[in-house]
Amino acid sequence: MTNYNELQECIIKGNRIKARELTQECLDNGNPAKEILDEGLIPGMAVVGKKFQDGEYFIPEMLVSARALNIGLGILKPLLEASDVKPVAKVLVGTVKGDIHDIGKNLVAIMLRGSGFEIIDAGVDVSPEKFVQMAKESGADILGLSALLTTTMTAMKDTVDAFQADGSRDKIKIMIGGAPVTTDYAEKIGADGYAPNAAIAVEMAKTLVGGSR
Amino acid sequence: MNFNSLAYDTSDEMMFGKALHPVRCGFDLVLGDGLVLPEINFTLPVMQVDNSNIKAILKQYMEMVSGVLQRLVILQVPGAVIEFEHAPQMTENVDMGARITAQTRKLMENYYHDHGLKTALRATICDIREKERPPKMRTGRAVGQMFESFKLNAQRGADLLSIESTGGKEVSDRALMEANLPGLLLALGILAPRDMHFLWKKIHNIAQQENVVAAGDSACAFANTAMVLADQKYIPNVVAAVVRAMSAVRSLVAFEEGAIGPSKDCAYEGPVIKAITGFPISMEGKSAACAHFSHMGNIAMAVTDLWSNESVQNVKLLSGFAPEVFTELLTYDCRLLNEALAGGEEDVIKRLLVTSDENKSVHALIISPDSSYDIARTIVKEKSDFERTRRAGMAACNIIRAAVRDKRLSLPEKEMVYLDRFQNEFEKYATEEHVLEAALPDYAELVILSEYGL
Ligand code: B12
């Protein structure tokens, strides 16, 4: 049984070079990729998430850790895919049509990625049709919509409606967010949930896929 | 014109309501000529904005503007600026924005004739260039639309032209999240000023042709983004405060290209601009709590000429619609300042506005009249936009360090780490070449350098 403390510590400190070395070393010692992921990389990133929530880390520190994580993941990925290990879930995120505010959306993506979700980023000013198309192509389990303007919030409704019209609404969970958005609005337009910040967005995503499986 | 001296001999000379070069505009209005006046801004509630809905949109604006003008009359306000800030669709759809401007202007004209109400209309055009990523800042289709919108809004009645422009933001957004100084220097010291020269040369030309005022820009996309991120504890406050100081240089470029104020309300770098140019500025603070949180509720008022609510959506509150309510709030704030000016008590009020906020946050510290004056002095000593930006950042670090050393301000260790790092790195990345070399490997994919003339 390998002790993964050191690998976890690399992620927490954001030490990319050592993360690469240690991940490789674990593999060379014959440890299964899934175990390295579940007991080394992910728990390390969980500590980072906790430190961020407790106000000990800022986003810049978290990004450095995320990079170390990605290096480890990159080494494991071919092996994980070969053994058919899936990410927690796939999340398609994007800022709705007419809107280019994307910092909030990007933060949500960073936090989700750190919690083991696979992220497909549709970018900004994304039309309802494009969301539908990308959701199909990627097989996303969750759609995360962001809007910061009162004058673009209605595009969230248009997007939900587009999935409805396409007949694919029941294949995807939709969560929404952004400064002017509320729980009420989510209910009103038929979305599955609203989260006021990135940390709660992660919780919500977990609940949403938990409920569907 | 490259400003190479300061407009005031000391920061004490800078005062709210008084600018060295007042601006005359609109219906018999003079700004910065001894009075602080309200600048009122409002926006649509949740609704669809496209041509199919134009009637409902015009009706909303009619309601908001009439409500505001009525309250201004009832409260006997000596003058006011009304800001119409475009939603993106109103710039893209050039005619839509121009129709709202024309309707607003007409109402203002009626109130001037019927009640003698002095007002001017600021149109803030939306920077729509960066929907494409990486954005085409000079050659994209949106560029022409945007200038067309400036022109048409001026023709239909805008008195003051403004924009919250975004050149360099594509790099700054990521550099902020990473708290990466070479990235920030690339964005604010190299890209942003180049875009500002390009943009404001044109805006100034349009303003001259149409006989309206080229007013000013705001570092919203950089420094307000940073401020909001810091408030949510995503990045250090120190970083946001230093970015504020650095961004004053790109905002100043508008004035070098011919803008004469009033600067934009959300440009908290305004006091630096006033110290250098002597043109009137607009600021926002406690009465803009409807729009976003800030640490500068009182201090933002200390040397301002216009006092703004930044933006509020048209929703019904118990005493009326939100834009009217904020008109009233702003009016009472201004009355107090004007009473002080009339009675020769302005120094007392100014001091209290400053001291009540100054040492409670680095944001407030950095925009205080003294700090702004210091930063302004640093800026005018340098020639190039890059060196000005770098030096402004260094000056901000020094101001913060001195406040911590003298125990006026306390900062947690995790913030001090960034202050140390930034101070070292400002020394290290001393030329454009150094910055490009350090930043491009990470940021080149985000930006098209030729769109900045590079
Ligand atoms: C920074 C900013 C900008 C930057 C954007 C930079 C960028 N890359 O995004 C710039 C300068 C470009 C900009 C432009 C404009 N802006 Co702006 N902007 C802001 C500001 C100050 C902060 C937004 C921000 O980044 N916050 C920080 C992030 C971390 O917070 P957040 O976005 O809320 O995200 C968090 C949560 O909401 C949630 N979340 C977000 N998305 C999602 C998605 C999901 C799925 C979930 C679950 C959760 C979630 O989690 C996030 C992390 O905790 C706001 C003020 C405000 N009160 O929000 C105005 C604001 C949104 N802008 C406003 C306006 C008017 C504009 C412009 C139209 C101005 C103009 N005329 O040019 C343009 C429009 C551009 C466009 N086409 O969209 C107004 C909107 C008014 C209205 N009618 O609704 C605001 C409210 C300011 C104001 N009061 O006037 N803006």
Side-chain angles (χ1 to χ4, degrees):
Chain A
M1 168 89 206
T2 309
N3 184 345
Y4 285 106
N5 283 350
E6 217 183 330
L7 181 55
Q8 288 175 14
E9 203 53 33
C10 289
I11 304 296
I12 298 168
K13 293 265 152 61
N15 188 334
R16 278 184 268 179
I17 297 171
K18 251 188 127 193
R20 183 194 307 276
E21 278 171 20
L22 282 178
T23 308
Q24 192 57 51
E25 201 178 297
C26 290
L27 278 177
D28 295 346
N29 290 342
N31 297 309
K34 174 106 172 72
E35 184 185 294
I36 304 173
L37 177 70
D38 287 347
E39 293 181 29
L41 300 181
I42 299 278
M45 201 59 201
V47 174
V48 174
K50 177 87 181 34
K51 280 184 184 285
F52 175 69
Q53 269 181 29
D54 294 346
E56 206 181 311
Y57 272 11
F58 291 115
I59 291 281
E61 284 94 342
M62 202 157 94
L63 287 175
V64 174
S65 291
R67 280 199 187 156
L69 173 81
N70 281 338
I71 288 195
L73 275 179
I75 298 174
L76 299 180
K77 204 170 174 199
L79 295 155
L80 290 171
E81 276 167 2
S83 58
D84 211 25
V85 177
K86 297 235 157 44
V88 185
K90 278 190 195 171
V91 187
L92 171 64
V93 296
T95 301
V96 298
K97 190 167 164 49
D99 207 320
I100 58 155
H101 292 87
D102 64 353
I103 293 184
K105 177 216 50 162
N106 294 347
L107 279 167
V108 170
I110 291 171
M111 300 277 272
L112 283 170
R113 212 172 258 138
S115 307
F117 287 86
E118 182 179 334
I119 301 296
I120 305 119
D121 191 342
V124 297
D125 186 28
V126 183
S127 68
E129 303 74 38
K130 176 124 188 261
F131 274 123
V132 172
Q133 186 202 337
M134 286 190 75
K136 277 207 177 130
E137 284 167 7
S138 62
D141 306 287
I142 301 178
L143 172 63
L145 298 176
S146 185
L148 263 287
L149 298 168
T150 54
T151 54
T152 56
M153 271 168 71
T154 53
M156 289 182 150
K157 177 171 188 309
D158 298 343
T159 307
V160 176
D161 290 351
F163 276 89
Q164 211 55 275
D166 181 66
S168 56
R169 176 67 184 90
D170 57 346
K171 294 203 182 66
I172 198 159
K173 298 284 179 187
I174 302 182
M175 58 178 191
I176 64 174
V181 181
T182 59
T183 309
D184 278 356
Y185 190 69
E187 270 171 29
K188 199 172 130 194
I189 65 170
D192 299 301
Y194 155 79
N197 61 47
I200 299 178
V202 172
E203 295 312 311
M204 162 136 304
K206 286 183 180 159
T207 324
L208 287 177
V209 284
S212 74
R213 281 185 179 175
Chain B
M1 171 175 125
N2 200 333
F3 291 96
N4 50 27
S5 60
L6 295 176
Y8 300 89
D9 289 333
T10 66
S11 76
D12 291 343
E13 281 178 25
M14 291 164 66
M15 180 52 69
F16 53 78
K18 293 183 192 166
L20 221 51
H21 313 294
V23 169
R24 185 172 288 280
C25 54
F27 296 103
D28 208 10
L29 196 63
V30 191
L31 307 175
D33 194 26
L35 289 175
V36 181
L37 300 175
E39 172 162 9
I40 303 126
N41 182 350
F42 32 73
T43 185
L44 295 171
V46 179
M47 70 187 286
Q48 194 172 328
V49 181
D50 58 30
N51 270 338
S52 70
N53 210 16
I54 183 80
K55 270 207 176 123
I57 295 168
L58 284 169
K59 182 160 172 273
Q60 281 281 340
Y61 275 98
M62 173 73 82
E63 212 176 87
M64 290 192 283
V65 177
S66 313
V68 165
L69 294 173
Q70 209 165 359
R71 273 226 189 172
L72 288 172
V73 170
I74 295 170
L75 291 169
Q76 302 166 42
V77 178
V81 170
I82 305 288
E83 183 187 14
F84 163 39
E85 189 167 305
H86 284 208
Q89 301 93 324
M90 297 165 185
T91 300
E92 271 156 18
N93 192 329
V94 179
D95 194 55
M96 183 192 292
R99 278 177 77 175
I100 300 169
T101 288
Q103 171 183 289
T104 305
R105 167 71 173 205
K106 182 79 200 145
L107 287 169
M108 289 163 64
E109 191 179 336
N110 293 347
Y111 270 79
Y112 179 65
H113 286 305
D114 298 350
H115 306 279
L117 182 65
K118 298 178 182 176
T119 55
L121 175 60
R122 185 199 300 263
T124 300
I125 307 304
C126 185
D127 192 340
I128 52 173
R129 292 174 297 171
E130 64 125 14
K131 276 191 172 178
E132 273 178 88
R133 307 259 168 112
K136 295 215 179 85
M137 305 307 280
R138 297 190 184 179
T139 62
R141 202 171 68 92
V143 182
Q145 275 174 327
M146 212 169 71
F147 289 126
E148 186 57 30
S149 177
F150 271 111
K151 194 165 170 176
L152 209 60
N153 276 267
Q155 287 169 353
R156 301 282 173 84
D159 302 297
L160 307 165
L161 298 182
S162 279
I163 184 168
E164 301 178 0
S165 72
T166 59
K169 167 182 165 304
E170 63 274 47
V171 168
S172 150
D173 274 355
R174 197 203 285 170
L176 274 176
M177 294 270 217
E178 296 172 349
N180 180 310
L181 190 64
L184 290 170
L185 279 166
L186 169 63
L188 290 165
I190 298 178
L191 302 175
R194 283 181 166 78
D195 188 56
M196 288 288 292
H197 282 290
F198 163 77
L199 205 59
W200 277 91
K201 208 181 277 316
K202 294 226 154 84
I203 299 171
H204 177 239
N205 277 344
I206 294 172
Q208 277 198 318
Q209 274 164 22
E210 305 301 336
N211 201 18
V212 299
V213 175
D217 205 302
S218 157
C220 183
F222 313 91
N224 294 16
T225 301
M227 176 176 86
V228 175
L229 287 171
D231 287 335
Q232 298 192 18
K233 301 202 168 31
Y234 289 133
I235 64 169
N237 281 294
V238 167
V239 171
V242 171
V243 163
R244 170 72 58 197
M246 291 166 75
S247 73
V249 176
R250 53 77 67 198
S251 297
L252 177 67
V253 172
F255 296 84
E256 293 180 331
E257 292 294 347
I260 57 167
S263 62
K264 265 286 289 172
D265 52 1
C266 60
Y268 288 93
E269 63 276 17
V272 177
I273 303 288
K274 186 164 180 172
I276 296 174
T277 66
F279 289 130
I281 62 173
S282 183
M283 295 286 281
E284 62 189 42
K286 66 192 163 94
S287 313
C290 50
H292 63 77
F293 174 84
S294 93
H295 289 276
M296 305 169 274
N298 290 334
I299 200 166
M301 225 184 214
V303 301
T304 199
D305 301 287
L306 289 171
W307 185 232
S308 160
N309 67 320
E310 154 124 50
S311 185
V312 68
Q313 71 272 39
N314 196 25
V315 291
K316 184 95 167 34
L317 303 176
L318 291 176
S319 59
F321 282 96
E324 301 163 30
V325 171
F326 280 84
T327 304
E328 184 175 328
L329 279 177
L330 294 172
T331 299
Y332 284 106
D333 285 344
C334 293
R335 264 195 202 171
L336 182 68
L337 300 189
N338 292 336
E339 190 65 14
L341 282 166
E345 290 168 298
E346 64 268 34
D347 286 327
V348 181
I349 298 275
K350 180 183 168 193
R351 182 167 50 79
L352 294 174
L353 288 171
V354 172
T355 54
S356 58
D357 286 345
E358 192 177 24
N359 295 321
K360 296 194 175 68
S361 92
V362 292
H363 298 265
L365 172 72
I366 227 64
I367 71 151
S368 78
D370 285 350
S371 303
S372 299
Y373 192 82
D374 248 22
I375 294 166
R377 189 167 40 203
T378 309
I379 290 174
V380 294
K381 272 192 206 142
E382 303 300 331
K383 292 263 168 325
S384 79
D385 290 325
F386 174 80
E387 193 54 13
R388 286 178 161 193
T389 307
R390 189 174 81 96
R391 292 283 170 188
M394 292 170 99
C397 288
N398 291 335
I399 290 166
I400 297 169
R401 188 163 303 277
V404 172
R405 188 194 52 221
D406 303 346
K407 302 214 161 27
R408 283 179 277 127
L409 182 79
S410 84
L411 280 180
E413 184 48 35
K414 61 175 188 167
E415 293 265 352
M416 291 304 289
V417 173
Y418 280 89
L419 188 61
D420 295 343
R421 205 183 91 197
F422 270 35
Q423 273 193 308
N424 286 333
E425 292 190 352
F426 272 124
E427 299 287 352
K428 189 163 155 203
Y429 302 107
T431 64
E432 291 204 12
E433 290 68 36
H434 278 116
V435 167
L436 287 169
E437 196 183 310
L440 281 181
D442 286 334
Y443 296 98
E445 63 183 28
L446 300 173
V447 56
I448 307 174
L449 292 177
S450 61
E451 294 287 330
Y452 291 88
L454 280 162

